[in-house]
Amino acid sequence: MFETLLKLSLSTILSFSLVSYPKKIGLFHGTQSSHYLLMDLNNDEILEKKKGSEKIYPASLTKMMVVYVALNHIQDNQKTAVISPKLLNKLSSQGAATSKYPVNTPITYEDLLYGIALPSGADCSVTLAHALFHNSNGFVKEMNSTAKKLGMNHSHFDNVTGLHSPNHYTTLKDLSIFLKVALKNANFQKYFSAMTYKSKVGITLYHTLYRNIQKTGLRLPGYQGSKTGYTAQAGHCLALWFQQGGHRYLYLASGGPGGIYISSHLSDAHLIVTRLARAKKETLGPFIFLGNAPQDPFFLYCQIKNRVDHLFQKGH
């Protein structure tokens, strides 16, 4: 009888919290990205989103599809290809990120894949596309075919670099559809989970996000892997997968403000991931929340819910 009354009473509190304070007020409060989507991969459930089905420019998030398509066509990752000086000069003049690999030097496909995933090397994307399909157009055609097969019905790729084109677009919802599949591929995870990599040509690569973390000191609890992107038209973009409390999450964002050296995408992710971690780390201590209520209403909701669940799971 007491247990029933207590559950009903706390259920009322929880209901009030949900009605008065939608989750996104706490979890996404103060974030800057114009578009975002948070998904629980365990349950295949979108927890929060803003403009998730609206067309965006993916910038270098494009390179996740490049790696995925390449992995489906590479038979031997120790085969080599050469980055041409002409290609490098062209990409540099367009403001594209490059890997810093030497030109006219045999680079293994494996090194090229890491060059795409970590420093977002457009030189590696184009070189690998040419090696596998003889030209970028054939590779892009395969990217669009793959997107269609996966059900990415609101996406179209125009290049392998992520450089801006009006005909190169997607949605965060489509990217979530893609990543739900891609993250089941152990090789795909391997490339996008690495933070550093020592290549066979002696160049050490660093993840773009790693550089930002070193610069800002921000942390992402439960980090598993990511890809960043930026163009003036796309803003700062981020695809992040992380794990907390036995659940795997996917966070996607685009339209982060600021110039190329600003880390608005990282600061947004830090807020969201840290808030979620804090909420989940709250442990049993009956009614402590009444005397130690956090400022963020989302924390309050999570703390109450976690403690109620824990009470009755333990049989108290």
Side-chain angles (χ1 to χ4, degrees):
M1 180 64 179
F2 171 75
E3 179 178 322
T4 302
L5 288 173
L6 183 57
K7 280 188 173 181
L8 285 173
S9 298
L10 291 176
S11 176
T12 302
I13 295 172
L14 289 175
S15 298
F16 174 79
S17 299
L18 280 170
V19 171
S20 303
Y21 305 111
K23 287 187 228 179
K24 64 183 178 182
I25 289 179
L27 196 58
F28 286 88
H29 178 69
T31 56
Q32 305 172 75
S33 299
S34 61
H35 300 65
Y36 59 72
L37 181 151
L38 178 66
M39 170 177 277
D40 184 331
L41 290 170
N42 287 43
N43 302 327
D44 193 19
E45 177 187 3
I46 295 177
L47 303 175
E48 295 289 342
K49 65 179 178 178
K50 178 182 179 183
K51 301 181 182 178
S53 298
E54 187 174 289
K55 184 172 81 172
I56 62 163
Y57 299 118
S60 284
L61 298 189
T62 300
K63 293 173 181 130
M64 297 187 297
M65 177 63 85
V66 173
V67 168
Y68 182 76
V69 170
L71 287 172
N72 287 334
H73 289 85
I74 289 175
Q75 305 265 327
D76 178 6
N77 66 5
Q78 296 308 304
K79 286 187 70 173
T80 62
V82 171
I83 299 171
S84 76
K86 183 178 179 181
L87 169 64
L88 195 61
N89 290 337
K90 178 182 178 181
L91 291 172
S92 296
S93 69
Q94 294 173 318
T98 58
S99 66
K100 312 306 180 190
Y101 283 148
V103 298
N104 293 331
T105 302
I107 310 291
T108 66
Y109 288 1
E110 180 176 43
D111 283 2
L112 289 172
L113 287 166
Y114 276 112
I116 297 169
L118 274 68
S120 205
D123 53 336
C124 297
S125 290
V126 177
T127 299
L128 191 56
H130 282 236
L132 294 174
F133 281 78
H134 305 297
N135 58 64
S136 292
N137 291 338
F139 195 96
V140 169
K141 184 177 179 181
E142 184 66 14
M143 289 169 66
N144 285 315
S145 175
T146 300
K148 185 176 181 180
K149 289 175 185 174
L150 293 176
M152 299 170 67
N153 298 323
H154 303 285
S155 300
H156 186 271
F157 298 102
D158 205 33
N159 58 61
V160 299
T161 62
L163 289 170
H164 181 69
S165 165
N167 204 34
H168 189 87
Y169 58 84
T170 186
T171 68
L172 297 185
K173 180 65 185 300
D174 272 13
L175 287 176
S176 74
I177 291 170
F178 163 69
L179 283 167
K180 279 191 297 182
V181 176
L183 287 172
K184 294 176 182 177
N185 183 313
N187 283 326
F188 180 89
Q189 283 194 52
K190 177 182 76 171
Y191 292 109
F192 287 103
S193 295
M195 276 295 190
T196 64
Y197 172 72
K198 180 70 173 288
S199 68
K200 292 175 179 62
V201 291
I203 303 291
T204 299
L205 304 177
Y206 296 91
H207 197 300
T208 306
L209 196 69
Y210 176 85
R211 296 286 197 188
N212 285 330
I213 288 172
Q214 294 301 305
K215 179 178 70 175
T216 63
L218 298 174
R219 293 293 182 264
L220 300 171
Y223 178 90
Q224 297 288 300
S226 68
K227 182 71 190 80
T228 61
Y230 173 81
T231 64
Q233 296 84 355
H236 287 283
C237 305
L238 177 65
L240 168 73
W241 40 104
F242 62 100
Q243 183 167 321
Q244 291 179 7
H247 279 243
R248 298 176 70 224
Y249 296 93
L250 174 63
Y251 168 66
L252 298 166
S254 70
I260 190 169
Y261 298 111
I262 303 298
S263 301
S264 59
H265 54 330
L266 176 57
S267 59
D268 279 2
H270 170 75
L271 279 174
I272 292 161
V273 175
T274 303
R275 284 170 176 170
L276 192 58
R278 283 175 57 188
K280 285 184 171 295
K281 279 183 180 178
E282 290 301 321
T283 56
L284 179 66
F287 311 119
I288 289 175
F289 65 87
L290 293 176
N292 189 28
Q295 296 293 319
D296 194 321
F298 179 70
F299 292 170
L300 176 59
Y301 160 72
C302 289
Q303 287 175 328
I304 297 171
K305 185 176 186 304
N306 287 350
R307 288 187 173 115
V308 172
D309 290 345
H310 194 82
L311 269 170
F312 297 111
Q313 285 171 3
K314 295 294 185 182
H316 291 285

